[in-house]
Amino acid sequence: MKKVTVTVPATTANIGVGFDCLGAALTMANEFQFVVVDHDPKLKIIVEGEEAHKVGLGENNLLYRSLVQFYQHIQQTPPHLEITIKLGVPLSRGLGSSATAIVAGLLGANNLAGNPLSQKEIMEMAIAIEGHPDNVVPALLGNCLLSVEDCGTWQITSIPWHQDIIPIVAIPNFELSTREAREVLPAEYTRSDAIFNIARMGLLIRGLETNNPQWLKTALADKLHQPYRQKLITGYQKVEQAALAAGAYGMVISGAGPTLLALANPERVEQVVKSMLEAWNSIGVASQVRSLAINPSGAKVV
């Protein structure tokens, strides 16, 4: 009996101005166990965790579809499998739950097939399935990464993240689909909005490296996606005001939302967590607010 276990971290994408190209791996993860069996059915999926009832158990499951796509790529037939999914990343909350499934499906398949593809090839397949790199690349590789397409190839660079910048995720008890979050975005932007984001992208990269408070406060603004998505997130302004009043450098939408990401120094973390939680509670929205860290290693295969 062949068995492989893949652990894939949650991710926070965009970080404000890095729309569809910047993301970071976090210390929160999903675990996927693949066991090859010699009997029918050809697929059995078991899901454990608070939101297990929301995960499909058939061949349309994103994890399994990614695995099948891998085997199609290498022109082989997938083995019969029993797959166990242990959920640690909330679903449809802007923390890269779909990216964990894609990366795990590809890594699990690659291992079961004898590792015919390189990490770079796995990464390119993951980007093609997801449609953009901001979640799947850091989920696979870890750290905070900038992904740039160049004539069909990808240039990936690590963005240094100062150890005293603590990511805080405020996760509400409602979902927001990526499709819905993309539908509210305009088809065109003004030159001034593009310049606004370009300038702040450079400042964000330097701010994350140096932990410069003023640079971070300025750089976490955005004009390409957040102004349009805020209205989809109940209590956004109230939670943002609470985070800033508690001493956070700033707050952004994590991925497509509705999770909100605040950055703060270690001395302010406890108060920021408390204030964001109380802000949502005050308008009747249940949430969990957690301080995390950057995951430096990305997905792991055992």
Side-chain angles (χ1 to χ4, degrees):
M1 180 178 70
K2 187 165 186 178
K3 179 172 71 174
V4 58
T5 300
V6 183
T7 303
V8 188
T11 47
T12 183
N14 303 326
I15 315 177
V17 293
F19 184 50
D20 274 4
C21 62
L22 185 65
L26 301 172
T27 49
M28 176 190 290
N30 285 335
E31 181 182 291
F32 307 84
Q33 184 181 90
F34 304 82
V35 179
V36 177
V37 296
D38 58 2
H39 55 76
D40 287 330
K42 70 175 182 179
L43 174 65
K44 180 181 179 181
I45 299 177
I46 302 166
V47 187
E48 302 173 5
E50 187 176 336
E51 297 182 295
H53 63 284
K54 299 179 181 179
V55 178
L57 303 181
E59 294 183 18
N60 200 41
N61 182 291
L62 179 59
L63 172 75
Y64 188 69
R65 285 192 282 121
S66 301
L67 180 143
V68 169
Q69 189 161 328
F70 176 93
Y71 275 96
Q72 289 173 341
H73 180 77
I74 64 171
Q75 298 182 329
Q76 292 185 20
T77 302
H80 290 204
L81 291 168
E82 289 186 2
I83 301 173
T84 301
I85 302 171
K86 297 181 180 180
L87 296 175
V89 181
L91 304 174
S92 300
R93 300 297 209 288
L95 288 168
S97 59
S98 63
T100 70
I102 293 168
V103 169
L106 296 176
L107 285 176
N110 195 45
N111 186 275
L112 293 173
N115 296 306
L117 297 191
S118 67
Q119 186 182 67
K120 180 176 181 291
E121 290 170 315
I122 294 291
M123 181 193 74
E124 291 171 347
M125 284 192 69
I127 295 172
I129 293 171
E130 177 80 339
H132 42 87
D134 50 355
N135 285 115
V136 293
V137 173
L140 177 64
L141 304 177
N143 286 311
C144 180
L145 298 174
L146 176 65
S147 304
V148 180
E149 186 179 14
D150 180 24
C151 300
T153 63
W154 289 94
Q155 304 296 331
I156 310 296
T157 183
S158 179
I159 303 300
W161 187 296
H162 196 283
Q163 63 181 6
D164 287 337
I165 301 174
I166 309 300
I168 299 164
V169 291
I171 311 166
N173 68 345
F174 58 87
E175 298 181 3
L176 178 59
S177 72
T178 301
R179 178 190 56 77
E180 185 180 5
R182 286 189 177 274
E183 285 179 350
V184 299
L185 301 180
E188 297 179 349
Y189 297 93
T190 64
R191 181 186 300 173
S192 61
D193 284 352
I195 293 169
F196 182 98
N197 267 49
I198 290 168
R200 280 160 179 76
M201 182 66 160
L203 194 63
L204 176 64
I205 291 171
R206 291 290 292 134
L208 289 172
E209 180 181 11
T210 62
N211 193 26
N212 183 302
Q214 191 54 55
W215 288 356
L216 288 169
K217 289 175 182 177
T218 301
L220 289 169
D222 160 78
K223 287 192 175 181
L224 295 189
H225 67 107
Q226 295 190 137
Y228 309 98
R229 290 173 165 174
Q230 290 176 20
K231 62 185 179 182
L232 302 177
I233 302 173
T234 303
Y236 178 93
Q237 291 184 338
K238 194 172 187 70
V239 178
E240 181 182 45
Q241 291 167 1
L244 295 177
Y249 295 134
M251 190 191 82
V252 296
I253 300 171
S254 180
T259 291
L260 302 177
L261 171 74
L263 303 182
N265 66 47
E267 292 75 24
R268 304 306 303 169
V269 166
E270 184 176 348
Q271 186 57 49
V272 172
V273 168
K274 179 182 177 182
S275 297
M276 296 178 81
L277 183 63
E278 290 177 347
W280 253 327
N281 285 344
S282 71
I283 57 172
V285 175
S287 65
Q288 55 172 308
V289 184
R290 301 172 55 182
S291 62
L292 300 172
I294 300 301
N295 179 313
S297 55
K300 292 183 177 181
V301 180
V302 178

